[in-house]
Amino acid sequence: PLRGVVHAAGTLHDGALLRPRWDDCRGVLRGKAHGAWALHALTRAMDLDFFVLYSAAGVLLGASGQGAYPAANAELDALARVRQRMGLPALSVAWGAWENAGMAVESQVQGRNAWSGRGLGGLSARVAFDGLDRLLHDGIAHAAVRPIDWSRFPAQPVAGADRPYYRAVAPSGPPADSRSGQGPSATDLPALPARLLALPAAQRREALVAHLGERALGVLGLDAGRSVDPRVPLKEIGLDSLMAVELRNHLARSIGVALPATLLFDYPTLDALAGHLAGVLGLDPEATG
């Protein structure tokens, strides 16, 4: 007899939600969400020991460019709660990125890991299945399994992260900003313009370029100590259209000014970007060159 179900199917179709096409969303939803409901319908009369759905931590992180995929995973979370209300076994696990397996491998092979620089580690099989065993034992309907370095994660927030959730589960150790619940990171606070203006005019441009380079490397998942030529287009070191939107969001928060979605297309190098933002921030002409 069938004793349990593990639903681990998934398909990605990344893209900014500016001009969505239903065909793209349908392909993502079919295997993940519709497949889960099909399995539920086929087995709800059976006496199963477990019914496990593989969701993803992007539901809680707001992963850039993955509008349809988190939506499909949210359906799994909802289905798990529905099944438990029906008295049926159910567990939906929002997995973080697995080490050497899963959909995150391709970006890691390409040398990009946008999460590791923010304190979000990879899951070893041992840690993952230990977590799964514990959740099944506890009868949880929905939970996330993801290693987090709390000394780094609050200081480099993800644009779409579910902040109330992370504030609720964060340990009490790292200090948090009383207004946002995030760790105090000078590069993420709107105080950046004031700090630049406090510098001698001749140093402002260099400090602004350094800030832009730091944020770009973080989005690209590259080593923070890497040198970036301010005259080279960022797309030549791996910045794609989705990362460009994410970087724009980081910069908008750090300077406290709304920025256009086309920012990185209009100003593709750190040098050009710094020149534009210097004007936006009202820095002295002497500083902008």
Side-chain angles (χ1 to χ4, degrees):
L2 180 66
R3 301 312 311 158
V5 171
V6 175
H7 175 45
T11 302
L12 287 175
H13 194 292
D14 292 354
L17 292 179
L18 298 176
R19 297 176 181 174
R21 298 189 308 167
W22 173 241
D23 285 346
D24 298 335
C25 295
R26 182 188 290 115
V28 175
L29 293 170
R30 183 184 294 118
K32 177 71 72 173
H34 300 172
W37 281 94
L39 291 170
H40 162 65
L42 290 168
T43 64
R44 61 185 171 188
M46 298 181 182
D47 183 20
L48 298 180
D49 292 330
F50 58 88
F51 188 94
V52 178
L53 304 166
Y54 277 23
S55 179
V59 171
L60 301 167
L61 286 170
S64 177
Q66 291 187 356
Y69 188 65
N73 286 306
E75 284 205 45
L76 304 193
D77 304 339
L79 175 57
R81 292 188 174 93
V82 168
R83 283 182 58 90
Q84 284 210 354
R85 286 200 298 269
M86 296 173 64
L88 301 174
L91 166 63
S92 180
V93 184
W95 295 111
W98 286 54
E99 293 177 347
N100 305 315
M103 297 176 176
V105 171
E106 182 178 350
S107 62
Q108 294 170 3
V109 169
Q110 295 173 351
R112 300 199 311 266
N113 188 343
W115 304 120
S116 64
R118 297 184 172 99
L120 298 170
L123 277 167
S124 68
R126 181 188 61 80
V127 170
F129 287 116
D130 282 351
L132 179 60
D133 182 67
R134 175 181 174 184
L135 293 172
L136 286 170
H137 181 269
D138 291 345
I140 301 297
H142 169 53
V145 178
R146 160 143 243 170
I148 297 179
D149 180 350
W150 291 105
S151 67
R152 299 165 63 196
F153 179 71
Q156 299 195 47
V158 181
D162 186 343
R163 296 188 179 188
Y165 168 83
Y166 286 105
R167 284 200 297 268
V169 301
S172 58
D177 180 87
S178 60
R179 294 165 297 175
S180 67
Q182 302 297 328
S185 172
T187 58
D188 279 310
L189 298 176
L192 175 67
R195 291 194 293 109
L196 291 174
L197 288 169
L199 294 172
Q203 298 178 16
R204 294 172 188 168
R205 176 63 172 264
E206 181 180 358
L208 179 56
V209 170
H211 172 79
L212 298 177
E214 175 190 336
R215 306 320 277 147
L217 289 172
V219 168
L220 286 161
L222 299 175
D223 181 22
R226 174 169 174 167
S227 176
V228 179
D229 188 334
R231 299 164 297 180
V232 173
L234 291 173
K235 68 178 182 180
E236 294 188 11
I237 61 173
L239 191 81
D240 59 25
S241 58
L242 300 179
M243 293 177 180
V245 174
E246 183 179 0
L247 180 55
R248 184 282 307 262
N249 293 340
H250 279 297
L251 297 179
R253 287 197 308 275
S254 69
I255 67 175
V257 175
L259 297 170
T262 59
L263 179 72
L264 274 299
F265 298 97
D266 298 333
Y267 307 98
T269 69
L270 293 181
D271 198 46
L273 188 58
H276 171 70
L277 293 180
V280 171
L281 296 174
L283 302 181
D284 294 336
E286 182 180 351
T288 63

